[in-house]
């Protein structure tokens, strides 16, 4: 297409040119899609289904002659193709940026096997059907490109449709959701590669261009990496890059994409690769995600999906073609189903995911349209009948895929929900997902230190999230709309003293420092809400992100002089509400940044951590969390078990095996046993696994009442920089009398004592509460 036509004026007496009508079509698609989405969302349908239906409705309206003359003007198809190229370039670059590389690396085998299973099954099934199709449609010659086009178009998975649907269903952080996204991208990129190679072989002159453009893409990737590290240094005090600097990246991408498309080669894979290899830390990455996510997900993708539906047409088909159309749709879904099922069986994926994975991967429409509109010179068999039949197949299959997938999710809602709500049953070889909540840089630095400590198991997948909580006052909410606030959620015209404009920048700097040292990416989330509703944002975020534990900052902080200052009762109330309502374990972190637990990344000092065990589900949860601290070379963990004096027990452990250079550990004396069988079994297994191997120290303390417990805690208060303890409910002999001067019941009896500013304890404290299951009675202490 000649790009000059994009700027042409109306011809003759026409009031509009195709460019004007194209924008009106986009507006109609957005309006219709919102209308359909209002009705389909309660049924569990994802956005792409509503947007494709909006395009179909707009296409059906063209039956009216005046609407047809207005929307389908001369040369309008060229405008659609070019604008589709621009939209495709934007969202494929964003898909590459947002892709979870760590998950894809861990599940590379699964993605490849499912991709191969899908392609092989489709290739085998289409061979006999192609013989029938050639005779039915009287096609002569060029059978190879016909077969490849049908195979690629109908075995393909539209990754944008899959990604948008998975996000709408809030599965993008779940195992099955991320696996579906990875498989969709693998299938799509494999199909692009196959089709490009076949066309290059037939043409005999594209091979050199492909290698040249691959080299140019690599050059662009290195230029982006240089700019991503250089541009932030120009304005270090700015939170984001300027719009002009952001535009520089898009200019480079559009130049390479336009150059590739001008050679009749699809640029989708090249653009995706540029996004995939873009640096994923620092100010540049945050800027790109911040500037791209909203417009692409809320405008670009809906318009593109609507364009897929707008292409739907059966005008050239007769009644005898409808039967063939139904056969193609059925074979397309059956072939995908068989291939994915065989792959899942081989990979031993749980059966509850088989049907969902096969149906969602049947979504089509992206690359199918691109391939149909390209390389027309090499498709001698291309006719309006085949065009309409393939387009109709793509649209119908995608609608069926979305409808069936949503139905499966509704009928098996419990099976797709997040199940890992307790760390006690969480294997350290499985991914640990944590959410840390902060409302200032002071809390962020302390909790980032905790994240650094948890990143000790090198072989364990670890995904940390940091949620920046921005309180919104009632007065400000009534005066300003959300878009009138700046990027930190505050008024850009005033109020700097109340909220602090540099908080976001300093939090980003702390995260960047951690990422450089630990090579672990902290994913950032921002929530702006009234304080009385902030707990809902945290609870909903923990469910959407499928995290196993949420870390909350204590409502008090340590000043430079060592004294404690209250940040506000509103933050304390927020913590209490989260403890009651969260669907996962909760940890409240009391940060003594001066005398307690310090940042680990960038330092070589060893931190002594003590896990206090009195018994009960919360203490078992706290000790389970400590498993991620054990293999950290900068952490020296000691378990201190408190046993009620006078209890009759068997010999649980022998002499304690200690680490080298450990001057703190004591020899275990006694032969007591915990009264609770669950606690005894858990502790014995923990001891045999970690203590006997010398990874963890073990100390047993006998106490008769709460006063003796307080004495021991005071004695060891200077020996450790961090105490990890469960939120015990009190009432036991070992803590009797300790709650008489209780200040913060949300920390539990032991945690409240350790966090008190009146006690001689200078260590930081992490109080852990296990997720309260529905059958447990939660008592607000």
């Amino acid at each position: 297409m000649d790009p000059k036509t994009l700027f042409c004026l109306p011809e003759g007496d026409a009031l509009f040119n195709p460019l004007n009508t194209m924008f009106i079509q986009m507006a109609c698609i957005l309006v219709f899609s919102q209308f359909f989405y209002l009705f389909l969302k309660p049924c569990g349908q994802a956005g792409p289904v509503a947007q494709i239906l909006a395009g179909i409705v707009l296409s059906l309206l063209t039956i009216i002659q005046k609407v047809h003359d207005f929307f389908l003007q001369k040369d309008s198809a060229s405008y659609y193709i070019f604008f589709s190229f621009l939209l495709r370039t934007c969202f494929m670059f964003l898909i590459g940026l947002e892709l979870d590389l760590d998950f894809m690396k861990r599940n590379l085998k699964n993605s490849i096997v499912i991709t191969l299973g899908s392609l092989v099954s489709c290739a085998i099934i289409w061979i006999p059907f192609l013989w029938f199709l050639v005779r039915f449609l009287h096609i002569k010659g060029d059978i190879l490109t016909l077969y490849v086009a049908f195979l690629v178009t109908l075995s393909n998975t539209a990754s944008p449709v899959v990604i948008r649907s998975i996000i709408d269903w809030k599965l993008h952080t779940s195992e099955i959701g991320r696996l579906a996204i990875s498989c969709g991208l693998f299938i799509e990129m494999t199909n692009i590669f196959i089709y490009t190679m076949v066309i290059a072989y037939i043409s005999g002159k594209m091979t050199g261009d492909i290698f040249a453009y691959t080299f140019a893409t690599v050059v662009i990737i290195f230029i982006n990496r240089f700019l991503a590290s250089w541009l932030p240094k120009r304005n270090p005090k700015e939170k984001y890059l300027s719009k002009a600097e952001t535009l520089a990246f898009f200019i480079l991408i559009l130049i390479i994409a336009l150059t590739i498309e001008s050679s009749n080669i699809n640029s989708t894979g090249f653009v995706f690769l540029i996004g995939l290899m873009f640096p994923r830390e620092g100010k540049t990455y945050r800027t790109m995600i911040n500037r791209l996510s909203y417009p692409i997900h809320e405008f670009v993708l809906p318009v593109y999906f609507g364009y897929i539906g707008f292409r739907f047409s059966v005008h050239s088909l007769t009644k005898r073609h409808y039967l063939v159309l139904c056969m193609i749709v059925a074979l397309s879904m059956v072939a995908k189903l068989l291939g994915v099922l065989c792959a899942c069986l081989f990979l031993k994926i749980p059966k509850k995911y088989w049907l969902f994975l096969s149906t969602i991967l049947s979504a089509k429409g992206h690359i199918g349209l691109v391939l149909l509109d390209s390389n027309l010179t090499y498709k001698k068999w291309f006719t309006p009948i085949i065009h309409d039949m393939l387009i109709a197949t793509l649209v119908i299959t995608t609608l069926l895929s979305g409808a069936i997938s949503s139905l499966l999710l509704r009928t098996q809602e419990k099976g797709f929900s997040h199940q890992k709500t307790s760390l006690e049953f969480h294997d350290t070889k499985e991914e640990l997902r944590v959410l840390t909540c902060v409302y200032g840089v002071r809390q962020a630095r302390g909790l980032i230190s905790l994240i650094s400590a948890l990143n000790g198991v090198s072989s364990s997948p670890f995904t940390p999230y940091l949620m920046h909580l921005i309180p919104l006052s009632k007065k400000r909410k009534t005066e300003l709309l959300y878009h009138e606030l700046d990027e930190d959620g505050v008024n850009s015209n005033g109020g700097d003293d109340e909220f602090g404009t540099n908080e976001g920048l300093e939090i980003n700097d702390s995260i960047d420092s951690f990422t450089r040292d630990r090579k672990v990416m902290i994913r950032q989330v921002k929530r702006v809400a009234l304080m009385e509703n902030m707990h809902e944002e945290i609870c909903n975020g923990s469910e959407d992100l499928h995290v196993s534990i949420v870390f909350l900052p204590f409502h008090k902080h340590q000043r430079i002089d060592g004294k404690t200052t209250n940040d506000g009762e509103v933050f304390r109330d927020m913590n209490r509400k989260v403890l009651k309502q969260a669907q996962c374990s909760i940890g409240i972190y009391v940060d003594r940044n001066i005398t307690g637990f310090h940042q680990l990344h960038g330092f070589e000092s060893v931190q002594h951590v003590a896990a206090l065990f009195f018994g009960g589900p919360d203490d078992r949860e706290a000790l389970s969390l400590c498993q991620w601290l054990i293999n950290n070379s900068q952490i020296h963990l000691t378990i201190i078990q408190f046993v009620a004096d006078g209890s009759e027990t068997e010999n649980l452990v022998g002499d304690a095996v200690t680490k080298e250079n450990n001057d703190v550990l004591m020899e275990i004396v006694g032969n007591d046993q915990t009264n609770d069988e669950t606690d005894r079994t858990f502790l014995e297994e923990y001891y045999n696994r970690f203590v006997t191997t010398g990874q963890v120290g073990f100390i047993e303390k006998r106490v008769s009442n709460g006063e003796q417990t307080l004495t021991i805690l005071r004695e060891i208060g200077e020996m450790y920089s961090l105490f990890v303890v469960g939120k015990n409910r009190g009432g036991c002999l070992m803590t009797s009398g300790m709650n008489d001067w209780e200040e913060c019941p949300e920390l539990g009896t032991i945690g409240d004592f350790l966090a008190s500013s009146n006690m001689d304890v200078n260590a930081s404290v992490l109080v852990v509460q296990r997720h309260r299951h529905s059958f447990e009675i939660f008592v607000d202490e």
Side-chain angles (χ1 to χ4, degrees), residues 487-499:
E487 290 171 331
D488 281 328
V490 300
N491 183 5
S492 58
N493 298 321
D496 293 347
D497 294 336
E498 180 181 351
F499 286 93

Side-chain angles (χ1 to χ4, degrees), residues 89-90 93-98 224-225 227-229 231-232 239-253 274-275 278-297 487:
T89 301
C90 292
F93 175 69
L94 179 64
I95 288 174
L97 277 179
E98 293 182 332
N224 283 344
R225 299 186 74 86
L227 292 177
S229 60
L231 289 176
K239 187 176 180 181
Y240 294 101
L241 298 182
S242 67
K243 293 180 174 62
E245 292 170 335
T246 307
L247 185 61
F249 292 99
F250 285 102
I251 292 176
L252 290 174
I253 295 171
I274 293 174
F278 199 89
R280 293 174 178 262
E281 68 279 339
K283 183 189 298 185
T284 304
Y285 180 76
R286 279 191 296 272
T287 302
M288 303 300 288
I289 292 293
N290 181 271
R291 300 263 167 83
L292 285 176
S293 295
Y294 184 82
I296 288 181
H297 284 296
E487 290 171 331

Side-chain angles (χ1 to χ4, degrees), residues 10 141 155 242 320 393:
S155 68
S242 67
R320 71 190 191 98
T393 302

Side-chain angles (χ1 to χ4, degrees), residues 190-465:
T190 302
N191 279 324
I192 292 175
F193 177 79
I194 292 174
Y195 187 82
T196 303
M197 290 297 101
V198 170
I199 294 298
Y201 172 76
I202 293 175
S203 65
K205 56 183 179 181
M206 285 187 183
T207 306
D209 293 339
I210 293 174
F211 282 105
Y213 293 138
T214 302
F215 176 77
T217 302
V218 173
V219 172
I220 295 294
I221 290 173
F222 279 104
I223 293 176
N224 283 344
R225 299 186 74 86
F226 169 76
L227 292 177
S229 60
W230 176 70
L231 289 176
K233 299 176 182 178
R234 298 179 68 247
N235 297 298
K237 296 183 179 181
E238 296 295 330
K239 187 176 180 181
Y240 294 101
L241 298 182
S242 67
K243 293 180 174 62
E245 292 170 335
T246 307
L247 185 61
F249 292 99
F250 285 102
I251 292 176
L252 290 174
I253 295 171
L254 286 176
I255 288 175
I256 186 66
L258 281 170
T259 306
I260 294 172
E261 293 284 340
S262 65
S263 300
N264 211 14
I265 300 175
N266 184 259
S267 63
T268 300
F270 296 94
V271 174
F272 172 75
L273 184 62
I274 293 174
L276 189 67
M277 301 304 295
F278 199 89
R280 293 174 178 262
E281 68 279 339
K283 183 189 298 185
T284 304
Y285 180 76
R286 279 191 296 272
T287 302
M288 303 300 288
I289 292 293
N290 181 271
R291 300 263 167 83
L292 285 176
S293 295
Y294 184 82
I296 288 181
H297 284 296
E298 301 300 327
F299 173 75
V300 172
L301 283 176
V303 170
Y304 190 80
F305 296 148
Y307 170 70
I308 294 174
F310 185 72
R311 294 280 300 271
F312 180 82
S313 175
V314 291
H315 297 311
S316 61
L317 303 183
T318 61
K319 292 182 179 179
R320 71 190 191 98
H321 293 127
Y322 292 146
L323 178 60
V324 178
L325 176 60
C326 294
M327 293 174 63
I328 295 176
V329 171
L331 286 175
S332 176
M333 298 197 71
V334 169
K336 184 76 69 174
L337 176 66
L338 292 176
V340 174
L341 288 182
C342 293
C344 290
L345 182 63
F346 174 77
L347 296 171
K348 298 181 180 180
I349 294 176
K351 293 182 180 179
K352 60 183 178 181
Y353 298 139
W354 290 6
L355 286 178
F356 173 78
L357 199 58
S358 60
T359 52
I360 192 61
L361 292 179
S362 296
K364 308 183 188 308
H366 176 215
I367 293 302
L369 294 181
V370 175
L371 300 184
L372 285 176
D373 294 333
S374 63
N375 308 117
L376 296 177
T377 307
Y378 307 108
K379 295 187 291 191
K380 301 175 182 178
W381 44 265
F382 194 75
T383 63
I385 292 177
I386 294 180
H387 175 271
D388 289 355
M389 190 175 293
L390 287 178
I391 294 293
T393 302
L394 297 179
V395 173
I396 295 172
T397 305
T398 304
L399 293 178
L400 288 175
S401 170
I404 297 174
S405 299
S406 63
L407 180 62
L408 290 172
L409 288 176
R410 288 175 65 88
T411 55
Q412 302 179 18
E413 184 176 358
K414 183 178 292 187
F416 285 87
S417 61
H418 184 47
Q419 304 294 330
K420 298 173 183 176
T421 55
S422 177
L423 296 174
E424 183 178 346
F425 308 104
H426 197 303
D427 193 340
T428 54
K429 294 181 180 179
E430 298 176 349
E431 181 185 28
L432 176 66
R433 302 173 66 84
V434 302
L435 173 64
T436 59
C437 301
V438 303
Y439 39 85
V441 66
R442 185 189 303 114
Q443 299 82 19
R445 288 170 180 166
L447 286 169
I448 289 176
S449 299
L450 184 59
I451 292 175
S452 178
L454 291 172
N455 184 37
V457 184
S458 58
S459 60
S460 175
F462 182 57
T463 304
Y465 289 88

Side-chain angles (χ1 to χ4, degrees), residues 1 9 25 66 82 129 198 230 408 423 457 596 622 669 739:
M1 167 196 168
L9 297 175
Q25 289 174 32
K66 290 186 178 180
F82 184 79
F129 185 76
V198 170
W230 176 70
L408 290 172
L423 296 174
V457 184
V669 179
N739 55 357

Side-chain angles (χ1 to χ4, degrees), residues 468-492:
H468 187 189
L469 308 176
I470 303 176
L472 189 62
S473 66
K474 291 183 178 179
K475 180 180 178 181
R476 182 155 296 166
K477 187 182 180 184
T478 58
E479 293 177 351
L480 296 176
L481 298 175
Y482 179 78
H483 71 272
E484 295 179 286
L485 303 174
D486 67 12
E487 290 171 331
D488 281 328
V490 300
N491 183 5
S492 58

